[in-house]
Amino acid sequence: MERELALEIVRVTELAALAAAPWMGRGDKHHADEAATNAMRGMLDSVSIRGTVVIGEGEMDEAPMLYIGESVGSLQGPEVDVAVDPLEGTELVAKGLNNALAVIAVAPKGHLLHAPDMYMEKLAVGPSLAGKLSIDDPIRTTVEKAALALNKQVSDLTVILLDRERHGSLIRTLREVGVRIKLLSDGDVVGAIAPAFAETGIDLYVGSGGAPEGVLAAAALKCLGGEIQGRLMPENEEQAQRCIDMGLSDPRKLLRMDDMIGTGDVIFAATGVTPGEFLSGVRMLPDQRAETHSIVMRAKTRTIRYIKSLHYLPNKPLLADLK
Ligand code: VTB
Ligand code: MG
Ligand code: MG
């Protein structure tokens, strides 16, 4: 993949974020998602790739756009796998809450795990804890090991996870050991990546969230030098069979970075829709301008670029077509 692709790819998340932003705080997650998906699909057409969606909005019969298996891109250029979440945190946008993103990851064909839409148990960390923890340890041990490695008191650690009933006993234990807890109402791509950004003050991501979101986070963490470990959580026979069909003979196999991202050549881009842990949201400005804040990174070089763009909205024909 040519390095120019990174800059082309960030245009895709920028447009998705710009399309979703007008739906912020309107209590309508469906339209927010649809706007982001259509914009992302439209913009991808102009990117010089022969792409196949491997993580997308669902199967062909349930998703009109960006369905799994769909061909995307200008159909010239390298053959790549594309993982998308045009709007990660539809509910966040609907409710006007923080941490909604437009996200994409691109890797040479065959190198992104085709994660089925089910829960994944996850443990994610930044570079300073990469390789030092295990998802198989009890949470108390994980926290103790993390504190030791970071030369901090346990009470000075901050752990982030989704605020869900299924995390009840996990949260109780974390309270007992005395860490700070940041609860996310949605959006565990941000949660899992946050420990890799020192300025967030977040040390660990734990708990379960969507498996597709796990692979997207893995792509980002590969570029950031962090780590995620995951384990799919099939809830019935049919889900277990889906894991087997995607090539996991043991659906409960521990998934490491290399299982999720089988290449050192992944590109990740995200644009904030609402303000978040490491990216600002879309800002509507006077004179028909809007400001976006994005991050784009390549695992190959581990360069992290923050891109602040000032868009002149009348010159965005794709956005107008969506209206
Ligand atoms: C998870 C999480 C996502 O939606 O997929 C969640 O990973 C849906 O699962 O970040 P729940 O059943 O826990 O609500 C998000 O929060 C947003 O897409
Ligand atoms: Mg989505
Ligand atoms: Mg999502």
Side-chain angles (χ1 to χ4, degrees):
M1 298 191 300
E2 301 289 328
R3 63 182 184 185
E4 287 74 16
L5 185 55
L7 291 176
E8 283 200 64
I9 278 302
V10 78
R11 290 201 177 90
V12 173
T13 55
E14 280 183 350
L15 201 77
L18 284 169
W23 295 98
M24 194 280 290
R26 300 210 175 276
D28 186 346
K29 66 177 186 174
H30 175 75
H31 276 106
D33 202 20
E34 186 179 70
T37 306
N38 287 342
M40 189 174 261
R41 177 71 182 73
M43 198 62 178
L44 267 169
D45 274 347
S46 69
V47 178
S48 312
I49 50 170
R50 283 178 293 155
T52 306
V53 176
V54 299
I55 287 182
E57 294 299 281
E59 311 293 333
M60 193 199 297
D61 46 7
E62 70 191 48
M65 293 273 186
L66 294 173
Y67 58 85
I68 294 160
E70 182 176 354
S71 295
V72 291
S74 67
L75 306 184
Q76 288 169 334
E79 269 197 277
V80 294
D81 280 353
V82 179
V84 298
D85 200 342
L87 184 52
E88 157 61 356
T90 54
E91 192 81 38
L92 298 174
V93 171
K95 291 182 178 164
L97 298 175
N98 285 358
N99 285 318
L101 292 177
V103 191
I104 193 167
V106 180
K109 192 177 171 61
H111 291 96
L112 293 180
L113 183 74
H114 299 197
D117 196 5
M118 63 182 69
Y119 288 120
M120 179 191 271
E121 199 183 325
K122 308 173 192 177
L123 172 67
V125 295
S128 41
L129 288 176
K132 298 193 174 150
L133 304 178
S134 165
I135 197 172
D136 290 324
D137 281 337
I139 187 66
R140 284 174 191 274
T141 311
T142 298
V143 165
E144 281 159 16
K145 281 186 181 172
L148 201 67
L150 294 172
N151 201 15
K152 282 186 180 180
Q153 300 295 320
V154 164
S155 59
D156 290 331
L157 290 181
T158 302
V159 178
I160 191 163
L161 74 164
L162 284 168
D163 188 6
R164 293 292 183 277
E165 262 172 34
R166 63 178 183 271
H167 292 150
S169 93
L170 182 57
I171 292 172
R172 271 194 300 282
T173 310
L174 288 168
R175 290 269 178 246
E176 278 166 29
V177 300
V179 298
R180 288 180 210 272
I181 302 176
K182 281 195 108 166
L183 290 171
L184 290 164
S185 65
D186 268 302
D188 84 337
V189 171
V190 165
I193 304 175
F197 293 93
E199 73 267 24
T200 65
I202 294 164
D203 300 295
L204 281 179
Y205 171 89
V206 299
S208 58
E213 281 85 354
V215 175
L216 284 163
L221 289 166
K222 193 112 185 176
C223 304
L224 290 158
E227 185 192 5
I228 181 168
Q229 296 173 22
R231 182 165 273 134
L232 293 170
M233 303 170 72
E235 288 172 82
N236 50 44
E237 268 310 303
E238 189 224 318
Q239 290 195 349
Q241 189 57 46
R242 291 196 66 184
C243 300
I244 294 168
D245 293 347
M246 69 181 235
L248 280 182
S249 51
D250 172 11
R252 298 281 297 152
K253 178 185 183 291
L254 168 62
L255 299 172
R256 295 188 170 278
M257 294 290 282
D258 291 346
D259 299 312
M260 293 190 245
I261 315 293
T263 172
D265 193 17
V266 67
I267 295 174
F268 174 94
T271 302
V273 179
T274 58
E277 292 288 345
F278 52 86
L279 284 176
S280 302
V282 175
R283 292 184 189 138
M284 294 299 177
L285 302 176
D287 306 321
Q288 305 188 70
R289 287 205 179 262
E291 184 180 290
T292 56
H293 298 256
S294 307
I295 193 166
V296 57
M297 335 187 250
R298 290 169 76 214
K300 212 177 202 173
T301 54
R302 283 181 54 182
T303 305
I304 302 164
R305 287 195 168 80
Y306 287 92
I307 299 184
K308 171 174 155 180
S309 306
L310 282 169
H311 306 269
Y312 183 55
L313 298 173
N315 285 357
K316 297 261 168 200
L318 260 177
L319 272 187
D321 287 351
L322 295 171
K323 291 222 169 97

